[in-house]
Structure formats: structure tokens, C-alpha cells
């Protein structure tokens, strides 16, 4: 403690700025960790809370396979089971509307006659007790019960009119009751409205189908038994689960995102380790003489080691605390981001109010921060403890690497590189793949000092040419002390490699999706019930296809029905349409099978076409049989083709529309692909479609360009994380290079003083420091980009095998890479300002006496 | 299971007595049912529901029933207020099985099934239960005479009716049956030992020779709400064709 008070504290006070920079590594890592998990947990909590509050006393929920809904007859089948006490049908749909305070309103269509057994509608105010009078409520299908919160926010009262979009155009609804806050009324952040289920069927164009049935079992029947019996009776086309299972399913949708973000937080902490390691190396370098004196005065190695470990702990504690606080602030952004892409990708609407604090997460993140800080200081502490008093006063030499160390590092790198290359020969083994990947990175880290020297020698000449004095001295400094630069360059290398790899994956995905859009989404217009194709709110009658075809300028119309179904525990998208006609218009990339043949077989109900990502993720190929759960039982079909289709991240299936009608007993459609006559104007036809639908049904007409822009926006949102590592890389450059230069300036105090003594200008000294910074950055860029180019291969493989199941072609991300050069070089230049100032500020006389 | 109201209606309907000597509780109920047995029934009802908040809502309906004792069909046609005019409810009872019920809502242009389970709960937010309006089998209960009492100046037998079904909503009911005409004067529903609901049958007059209550008052003692049903234009054994008791018929609601 005395050593900390007498030695560490004055040093920390003297180097406050560096202390802050050092701590910022941990702050960043902890903040990212907290932000990601808190944002994630908030969204999941919000969803499960809505599910829970809407579920009420529901013990089991019956869904048809995926999101397709099912006909009313299944309700009778459920009600007739001996174990079922209450079976209440539900339609649940969020709608966007024009009121100012909220964008989404969750409409819950319920059978009020049965539903009071499940959910408590605590009605606050009713118009002449209408909301309390079921006959009165049901007899007026425009009846709506809203929450008090929603009413207050939108200045609504009983008998107020609300205009809501319906499948038949905008309709006026009347508020007949207001629910008191709490329970059901607090679901979906209070943005909830109840209406009669049969009115909801009409409103959402559901025909005579329900979304789900909520079940309460009779006393004496266990949930497990009830679940088993209902599942047996209803068959594989239905899922019978407790309400909590929906939240789990929802959470699984976030899997890929969570994995990405976890990788980011681990990466941020790794960079934090590098920064702290670097800072402590600086501290050890600057305090070598101090350590030598302490050792000479009798301080043991153990005491020296502990001194640095305690220092790192003292840095880690406040840094972790600040990181947690900062993370909670960032969590708002993270939450919005997750909500945004869940809506655009899966059509989930949610209202989140406030973030969910997890004490476990906060404590864990705090401890991880402190642990990381201590871990990062282990090697510098060891290095400090091993300083011999005699060598403590020899400047600079400890920054050199011995020939033996060079040889060992190179040999180890060669071995790891060879192992990594050998692993490429076993591409099907995931273990070999990941070992190969890790070894390739380790080999790069081991080779870094050697490469630094090589590159520094290589750059010496151009540096000398550009700045004869400053360039030469800066390059020589790097060549003479590779150890000093290794950590910074290593951190820079890793972060830049990640940027390049992620940038490459994004670019490849973007290009691939763009190609797919060009070949697949080629109709001139898309008619949907939502501006987001994947979250269509209403279904259209099949007769609308004929109506659209009759509009002047329309050459052809193709109705499509899309539903989500669950296969092998994951949500897939099932697309039902006239496949022969579809493949007349589009020519998707075929991976297995023949396009014409697969269209023929599928249209005859003799096969299913699957997407490449579904094929890869589930290892399904031509002639494998697929069991598709439908409300009418299992539909067993052979796979007759594998094509490129990016409709769903977990894969999609294409079947013929007639097969869908037969098994799902639903002829409704959700999207129409409209092809125009050659001379027709898309804008004119769009206007005609909208005019034709006015007051009859709610439609959105998207041009091909608008739809492509929407899809690409979603892709960008998904891969928007690419820019986070760029920020981290810039931070690494700023912190790492500043630290390295401070050590360099300290080590070369005498050298720089001599330069000034013989007439060197302050400007020249500053220039030496900034040139060294630029050289470090340049070396980091070169080896980081080289490693990134290699990592990109692995990243594409990981994306294909583990995340999206799509084989993306290798495309080096030139744009991102070119962006890195000015960003990192500028960061390096900025980071040299303080060390440069420090170098010219010191007294020449004192500096000459330094050794 | 609570007391089926129509059973008591039927009992009331056969007020004329040709009965004497000591009887068991079971015999009293069987005689009541026998006397109440009519082929069909029609009446107009004025329903007044007073909520726990003290607000009263009125509705008018016309009820038609054919058949009896577990194989009856009942149709309610709401006639007033105007917002609910044309709403109709069809109940088809099957012997030994759950009944089927449908509701027709003219404004929605469609019929809907009524959850069978909900019939043991409040009937359309009144204090009646759907099963109160069906005719149930006397055999569904065990009966026990527990004494005598005066109701509205009439001597009544007190019969304790315990449902045989274990899933019944009430533990037992206490029936007050007039000795003069076997009409039910009052019913009390109990859960454990607490009284939770009362039905009082007033203004009992003969209609076509059948003693018939013209006023029924139900009070839910837990919810603190009450419902009054005034029966008017009561007719027994009118000709009601079977086709009037179909979904198609209620869609043509009057």
C-alpha cells in the first residue's frame, strides 16, 4: 500500500491523460458488452412481457405451422377435448396509424364471450356501460377498447373515433371502453386495443381464420398432458406450447445478431487488453530507473509485480464502473437498433419503454472489466519484476529483440502457419476449420515484430526521401526497438483485420443480394398491405389478382402467399405461388437441379424447391425428403431444386400455390407481383391501382426500385456493424500510437536533446515524432490489411457454415480499405501531437544528462 | 353446477296440484318437472341489468323454445335497444352432451359460436347463466329435503340439490318449492357454505293453466350486481317449426 501511495499515485497524477486513455480501453470493452446485452435483454423482455400480459391465464397456445393462421373448425376440435376448460381464439396484429404519439398499435382480436375467462379487462370508463355489456359491444363491430395510457397520449375518450387501416381501406372505429393501467393494459407499452375477433378477421382480411387459440386446462390436467393430447389431436401442422415458448422462439431470432455482437464485445475487450498492456509497458519503460532504485533498496520482485497488478486493478475498478454507466447509456441506441432490424427483417413490432437493468450482467461486466485490466497488466508486471537494477539505467536496449527471440518467434509462426494451411485440407471439419483460423491469427501475431523490422527497413528509404532527417530517424527508431511497437501494431493489425474481414463479408453479401434482387425481384410493381413486405398486415382475396390484371397497363399479375413455418426448430419462410409462371419471369441462380424440371415437379405438387442457405444450414440436398408441417398434417415432398433466395436468413421453401391452398385451406394472398406492358408507365399504373383500391382496401404499391432500396436498407442495417470495428481501430490507433510514442520519446530523450543541441528545430523534433507515428500506422495498415485479406476467407466460411448459410464470393473490400488509410493515418497524426509536444518541452540540458 | 332455471320454470308452469302425502325430495322435483313439461314456449322479456357501479342497462328479447329436458332448442331475438336489434342466439341442447350455441350479429353479417364453457359463467353480462336458460335433467343432482319455510306467504319445501358433477361451479343449491303448486319460489346457490347468488321468482300467475313467474330477480352477491327479467306475452305449446331453430333462421332475424 505504501508503494502504491508513494510510487504509483504521484506517477498517475503526473500522467493523467495517459491514465484516462488507458482506462478508456476497458471503458469501451465493458460499455459495448453492457450496451449489447442490455439492449438485447430489453427487447426480449419487452416481447416476453407483451406475450405474458396478453396471455393472461392462458396455459397453452395453439398455433398453426408458422404464421399462417388456421380455419375456425380447429377451434371446435380444441374445445371438444376433455382437458380443455377454455379455448379462446385470438388474432394479434400491430398496425401503424396516423396518431401522433405512437406509430404502432397492437390490436388484439378476441372472442369476448370466452375471453373473460382468460384475460381481465379492467374497464375504467364505458359509454353507458357499453364496454361492460357484451351484447352491445359485439353488436357494433366498430367497437374498440383502448388503454388509459393510449387514450391520454392521444387525447381520446369514450365515443372518440379512431381511423385505422383495414384490409378494406381506412375505417372509423369507436372507443367504447378504456382499460385501467396494469396487466393486459400495460402490454405492448400500453399501445394496445381490443376488438371482437370477428371484427378483427374482417379488418385484417383473415377470412374465417384465427391466428391462435389460447387454452386454459381443466383442474386436474397438467400442462404437459394437455400439450401432448392437443398436439396429438391437431397433428404436426400445429404447435402447442406454453406462452413462454414464444419468447424463446423470439430470442432465437436474435441468435445471429447476439453472436455477432458478442464477438464485438469480446473484440473490444481484447483491444482493451492490448491498450492496457501497451500503457503498462510504457509505464514500465518510463519507470525503469525508479524500479531499479526500488530493487536496489531491497524491494523484492514480488513487490514490484504486485505494485503493477494493484495499479492495474485500481485502473480497472473505476474504468469498469464508467464502462457500465456508459454501456447503459449506449443500451438505448442498441435497443432501438435491434428493434429496428427486427421490424424490418421479421416484421415484429414492439414498444420498449426504458431499459431493463440486469444486476447479474452489471456485476459480471464490472468483474470482467477488472479482470481484463489485471490480465492485461500481467506481462508488463512480470517484465517490471524481472528488471535487474544494473540494467535499469540502460536506455533503449530492452526494447530490442534478441536474435534468439526472433528465431523462436519465426519458427513458431512457421509451424502455426503450416498447421493453419494443413487445416484447409479438411474443409468439412468445423474443429479443423477453427483451429486453422486461430493458428493463422497467432502466426501473424508472432511474425509481427519481424515484419515490423522488414517494413521499417523498407519504408526507411521513402521516408528519407520525403524527409531526409526526420524520416531516417523515425524509421531507425522503429528498427532499433521493435518490441516497443509490437503491441500497438499488433492491436492495430487485429482491429484492421476485423474491419477488412467484416467489410468483405458485407460487400460480398451486398453484391450477392443485389444480384439476387436484379434477377428475382424484377416485376415492375409490388402490391402489398404494408410498405414492409415481410410484415404484411392484411391478406388480400385471390380475386384481387383478376382486378389488378384488368387495370390498364398491367400485362401480368402473380399472387404470392408467404408464411413463416418452423422446420428443425427454426423459422423458415414458405413462399407459395404459381412456380411455372414465376420461373418464366425470373431466372434464379440454380445450385442443384434443373430450373424447368423443378418448376414442373413443384407445380404438380411433386416437390419443393429450397433456398441455398436452407440447404447449407440443414445439409439438405436434391432428392432428400422434406416434411413440411401444415394445418392439414405433414406435407412430405422431395427436394427438386436448390436455388439462390435471400427471403429469409434461415432459409426459404417454394411450393406451388395450389398445394398451399390444399394444405393450408387458405386462398388469400399477401403480395402481388405486377408486370407492366412495355409502354406503360409504372407511376401511372401505380396511381391507377391506388385509385382502384381507394375506400375498398388498404394497399401499398412499391416500384421495383423502392423495393430494392428497402431490401438493401435491411441488408445494410444487418451489416451496419462493420463500422463499429472501424471506430475501434481508430481508437486503437489513437491510444496505442500515442502510448508507443511516449515511450519512444522517453527512450530517446538524449538522442532528441542532442539533435536540438546541434541546431535541430522544435518543428523537426515534432516532425520526427509524427513521422514515427505515421510509419507505425502504415505498418499496422499493411499487415492488418494483409491479415484481414486472409481472415476474410475464414469470415466468409463462418458466415456460410454458421450464420447465413449462403456461399458468398470472395470480394476484397477496397472501399472500406481505402477509407482506412486516411482515417488511421489521421488518427496517428493526431496521436503524435501530445508526445511531440512532450518531446520538445523537455529541457535539453536535463535530457543530455539523462543517461 | 348451478340450478337450471328452465327446470324451475317448468316446475312453476305446472302449478296445479294433484299430489298429496309425504314425498322424497327427488319425487318433489320429478313431479315439478313433469308438470312443467311443455312442447314449446314463447315469451317476451325485459331484461334490466344493474352493474356493481349502480348503472342499469335495459334490453328486450323474445325467447322461443321447443322440446324439453335435454333435447330442447332455444332462440333469443334481441329487439331493443336499436343497437342490438336483430342479434340472435341459438342454443341446441343434446341429451347427455354439451349444448351447441351460436350467435348472429347482423352488423357483422356473420354467425359465431358461443364458447360452451362460458355457459356456466355469466350469460352475456347478466347475472343469469346460459345453463339457467336450458332445460336440464333432474337426474344430474342429488336431492335432500332440509325443512320448510314461507316465501311470500306460501309454504315451501326446502330442497338441497347437490350436483353430481365434480366440476360444478356451485357446491349446492337450496330450492324453495311452493307446496301449493310445486312452483319454485326461490333458489340460492352456495359455494362451500357461503351463499353467492339468489334467484327470486315473483308474480306467479297461471298461463294456460301453468303457474308461471312473470318476474325473476337474480342477485350476484359477490359482484354486487343484479338482473331482473320481466316476462310478458308468455305462450305455451305454440307451433314452432324446427326450421326456426337453425343458423339460417337466426340469420333472418326478426
Amino acid at each position: 500500500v505504501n508503494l502504491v501511495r508513494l510510487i504509483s499515485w504521484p506517477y498517475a497524477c503526473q500522467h493523467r491523460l495517459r491514465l484516462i486513455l488507458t482506462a478508456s480501453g476497458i471503458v469501451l470493452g465493458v460499455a459495448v458488452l453492457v450496451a449489447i446485452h442490455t439492449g438485447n435483454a430489453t427487447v426480449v423482455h419487452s416481447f416476453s412481457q407483451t406475450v405474458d400480459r396478453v396471455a393472461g391465464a392462458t396455459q397453452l397456445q395453439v398455433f398453426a405451422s408458422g404464421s399462417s393462421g388456421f380455419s375456425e373448425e380447429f377451434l371446435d376440435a380444441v374445445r371438444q377435448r376433455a382437458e380443455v376448460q377454455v379455448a379462446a381464439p385470438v388474432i394479434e396484429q400491430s398496425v401503424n396509424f396516423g396518431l401522433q404519439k405512437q406509430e404502432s398499435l397492437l390490436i388484439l382480436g378476441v372472442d369476448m364471450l370466452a375471453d373473460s375467462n382468460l384475460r381481465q379487462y379492467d374497464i375504467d370508463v364505458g359509454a353507458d356501460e357499453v364496454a361492460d355489456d357484451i351484447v352491445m359491444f359485439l353488436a357494433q363491430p366498430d367497437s374498440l377498447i383502448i388503454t388509459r395510457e393510449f387514450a391520454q397520449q392521444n387525447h381520446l375518450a369514450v365515443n372518440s373515433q379512431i381511423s385505422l387501416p383495414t384490409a378494406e381501406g381506412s375505417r372509423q372505429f369507436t372507443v367504447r371502453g378504456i382499460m385501467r393501467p396494469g396487466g393486459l393494459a400495460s402490454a405492448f407499452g400500453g399501445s394496445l386495443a381490443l376488438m371482437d375477433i370477428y371484427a378483427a378477421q374482417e379488418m385484417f382480411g383473415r377470412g374465417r381464420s384465427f391466428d391462435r387459440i389460447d387454452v386454459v386446462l381443466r383442474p386436474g390436467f397438467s400442462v404437459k398432458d394437455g400439450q401432448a393430447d392437443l398436439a396429438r389431436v391437431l397433428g404436426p401442422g400445429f404447435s402447442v406450447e406454453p406462452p413462454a415458448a414464444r419468447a424463446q422462439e423470439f430470442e432465437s431470432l436474435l441468435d445471429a445478431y447476439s453472436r455477432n455482437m458478442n464477438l464485438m464485445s469480446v473484440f473490444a475487450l481484447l483491444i482493451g487488453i492490448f491498450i492496457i498492456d501497451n500503457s503498462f509497458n510504457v509505464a514500465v519503460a518510463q519507470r525503469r530507473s525508479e524500479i531499479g532504485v526500488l530493487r536496489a533498496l531491497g524491494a523484492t520482485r514480488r513487490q514490484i509485480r504486485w505494485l503493477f497488478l494493484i495499479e492495474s486493478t485500481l485502473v480497472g475498478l473505476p474504468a469498469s464502473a464508467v464502462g457500465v454507466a456508459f454501456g447503459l447509456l449506449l443500451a438505448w441506441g442498441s435497443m432501438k437498433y435491434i428493434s429496428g432490424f427486427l421490424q424490418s427483417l421479421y416484421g415484429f413490432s414492439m414498444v420498449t419503454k426504458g431499459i431493463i437493468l440486469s444486476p447479474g450482467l452489471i456485476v459480471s461486466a464490472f468483474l470482467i472489466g477488472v479482470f481484463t485490466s489485471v490480465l492485461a497488466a500481467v506481462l508488463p508486471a512480470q517484465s517490471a519484476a524481472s528488471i535487474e537494477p544494473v540494467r535499469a539505467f540502460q536506455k533503449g536496449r530492452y526494447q530490442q529483440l534478441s536474435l534468439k527471440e526472433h528465431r523462436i518467434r519465426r519458427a513458431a509462426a512457421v509451424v502455426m502457419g503450416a498447421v493453419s494451411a494443413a487445416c484447409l485440407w479438411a474443409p468439412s471439419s468445423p474443429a479443423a476449420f477453427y483451429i486453422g483460423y486461430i493458428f493463422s491469427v497467432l502466426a501473424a501475431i508472432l511474425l509481427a515484430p519481424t515484419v515490423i523490422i522488414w517494413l521499417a527497413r523498407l519504408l526507411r528509404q521513402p521516408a528519407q526521401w520525403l524527409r531526409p532527417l526526420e524520416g531516417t530517424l523515425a524509421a531507425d527508431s522503429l528498427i532499433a526497438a521493435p518490441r516497443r511497437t509490437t503491441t500497438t501494431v499488433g492491436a492495430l493489425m487485429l482491429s484492421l483485420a476485423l474491419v477488412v474481414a467484416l467489410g468483405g463479408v458485407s460487400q460480398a453479401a451486398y453484391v450477392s443480394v443485389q444480384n439476387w434482387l436484379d434477377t428475382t425481384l424484377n416485376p415492375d410493381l409490388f402490391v402489398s398491405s404494408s410498405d414492409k413486405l415481410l410484415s404484411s398486415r392484411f391478406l388480400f382475396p385471390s380475386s384481387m389478382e383478376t382486378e389488378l390484371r384488368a387495370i390498364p397497363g398491367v400485362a401480368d399479375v402473380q399472387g404470392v402467399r408467404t408464411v413463416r413455418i418452423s422446420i428443425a426448430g427454426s423459422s423458415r419462410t414458405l413462399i407459395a405461388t404459381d412456380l411455372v409462371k414465376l420461373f418464366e419471369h425470373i431466372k434464379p441462380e440454380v445450385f442443384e437441379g434443373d430450373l424447368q424440371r423443378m418448376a414442373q415437379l413443384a407445380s404438380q405438387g411433386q416437390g419443393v424447391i429450397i433456398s441455398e442457405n436452407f440447404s447449407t444450414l440443414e445439409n439438405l440436398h436434391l432428392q432428400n425428403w422434406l416434411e413440411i408441417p401444415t394445418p392439414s398434417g405433414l406435407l412430405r415432398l422431395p427436394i427438386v431444386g436448390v436455388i439462390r433466395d435471400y427471403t429469409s436468413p434461415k432459409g426459404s421453401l417454394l411450393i406451388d400455390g395450389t398445394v398451399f391452398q390444399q394444405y393450408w385451406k387458405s386462398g388469400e394472398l399477401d403480395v402481388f407481383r405486377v408486370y407492366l406492358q412495355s409502354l406503360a408507365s409504372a407511376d401511372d399504373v401505380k396511381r391507377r391501382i391506388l385509385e382502384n383500391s381507394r375506400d375498398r382496401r388498404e394497399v401499398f404499391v412499391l416500384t421495383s426500385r423502392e423495393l430494392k432500396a428497402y431490401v438493401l436498407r435491411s441488408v445494410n442495417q444487418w451489416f451496419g456493424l462493420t463500422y463499429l470495428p472501424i471506430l475501434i481501430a481508430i481508437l486503437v490507433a489513437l491510444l496505442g500510437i500515442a502510448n508507443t510514442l511516449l515511450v519512444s520519446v522517453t527512450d530517446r530523450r538524449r538522442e532528441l536533446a542532442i539533435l536540438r543541441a546541434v541546431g535541430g528545430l522544435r518543428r523537426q523534433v515534432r516532425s520526427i515524432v509524427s513521422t514515427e507515428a505515421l510509419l507505425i500506422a502504415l505498418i499496422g495498415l499493411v499487415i492488418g490489411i494483409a491479415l484481414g485479406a486472409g481472415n476474410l476467407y475464414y469470415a466468409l466460411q463462418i458466415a456460410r457454415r454458421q450464420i447465413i448459410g449462403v456461399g458468398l464470393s470472395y470480394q476484397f473490400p477496397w472501399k472500406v480499405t481505402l477509407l482506412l488509410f486516411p482515417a488511421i493515418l489521421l488518427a496517428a497524426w493526431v496521436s503524435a501531437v501530445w508526445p511531440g509536444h512532450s518531446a520538445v518541452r523537455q529541457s535539453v540540458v536535463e535530457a543530455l544528462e539523462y543517461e | 353446477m348451478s340450478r337450471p332455471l328452465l327446470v324451475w320454470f317448468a316446475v312453476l308452469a305446472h302449478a296445479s296440484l294433484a299430489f298429496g302425502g309425504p314425498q322424497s325430495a327427488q319425487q318433489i322435483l320429478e313431479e315439478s318437472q313433469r308438470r312443467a313439461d311443455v312442447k314449446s314456449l314463447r315469451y317476451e322479456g325485459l331484461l334490466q341489468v344493474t352493474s356493481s357501479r349502480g348503472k342499469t342497462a335495459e334490453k328486450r328479447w323474445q325467447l322461443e323454445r321447443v322440446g324439453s329436458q335435454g333435447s330442447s332448442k332455444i332462440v333469443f331475438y334481441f329487439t331493443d335497444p336499436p343497437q342490438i336489434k336483430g342479434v340472435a342466439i341459438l342454443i341446441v341442447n343434446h341429451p347427455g352432451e354439451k349444448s351447441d350455441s351460436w350467435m348472429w350479429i347482423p352488423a357483422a353479417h356473420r354467425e359465431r359460436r358461443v364458447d360452451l364453457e362460458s355457459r356456466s359463467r355469466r350469460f352475456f353480462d347478466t347475472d343469469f347463466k346460459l345453463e339457467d336458460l336450458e332445460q336440464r335433467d333432474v337426474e344430474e343432482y342429488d336431492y335432500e329435503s332440509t325443512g320448510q319455510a314461507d316465501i311470500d306467504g306460501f309454504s315451501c319445501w326446502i330442497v338441497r340439490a347437490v350436483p353430481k358433477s365434480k366440476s360444478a361451479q356451485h357446491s349446492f343449491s337450496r330450492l324453495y318449492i311452493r307446496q301449493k303448486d310445486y312452483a319454485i319460489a326461490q333458489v340460492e346457490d352456495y359455494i362451500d357454505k357461503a351463499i353467492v347468488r339468489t334467484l327470486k321468482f315473483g308474480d306467479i300467475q297461471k298461463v294456460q293453466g301453468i303457474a308461471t313467474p312473470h318476474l325473476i330477480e337474480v342477485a350476484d352477491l359477490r359482484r354486487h350486481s343484479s338482473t331482473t327479467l320481466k316476462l310478458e306475452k308468455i305462450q305455451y305449446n305454440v307451433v314452432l317449426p324446427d326450421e326456426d331453430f337453425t343458423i339460417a333462421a337466426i340469420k333472418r332475424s326478426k
Side-chain angles (χ1 to χ4, degrees), chain A residues 119-136:
Chain A
R119 286 168 267 267
Q120 289 299 315
Y121 310 119
D122 195 1
I123 305 297
D124 193 5
V125 189
D128 300 326
E129 301 295 306
V130 166
D132 259 1
D133 185 333
I134 201 76
V135 179
M136 198 73 93

Side-chain angles (χ1 to χ4, degrees), chain B residues 180-198:
Chain B
K180 177 191 166 194
D181 51 12
Y182 280 73
I184 303 291
Q186 189 167 312
V187 178
E188 295 163 356
D189 289 332
Y190 289 81
I191 292 179
D192 295 329
K193 288 180 181 175
I195 184 166
V196 293
R197 198 173 71 126
T198 61

Side-chain angles (χ1 to χ4, degrees), chain A residues 97-104 150 152-155 191:
Chain A
F97 62 101
L99 293 180
Q100 47 181 308
K101 294 290 180 183
Q102 278 100 4
E103 285 187 352
S104 290
F150 183 79
Q152 283 171 348
Q153 284 176 347
N154 294 289
H155 310 295
S191 300

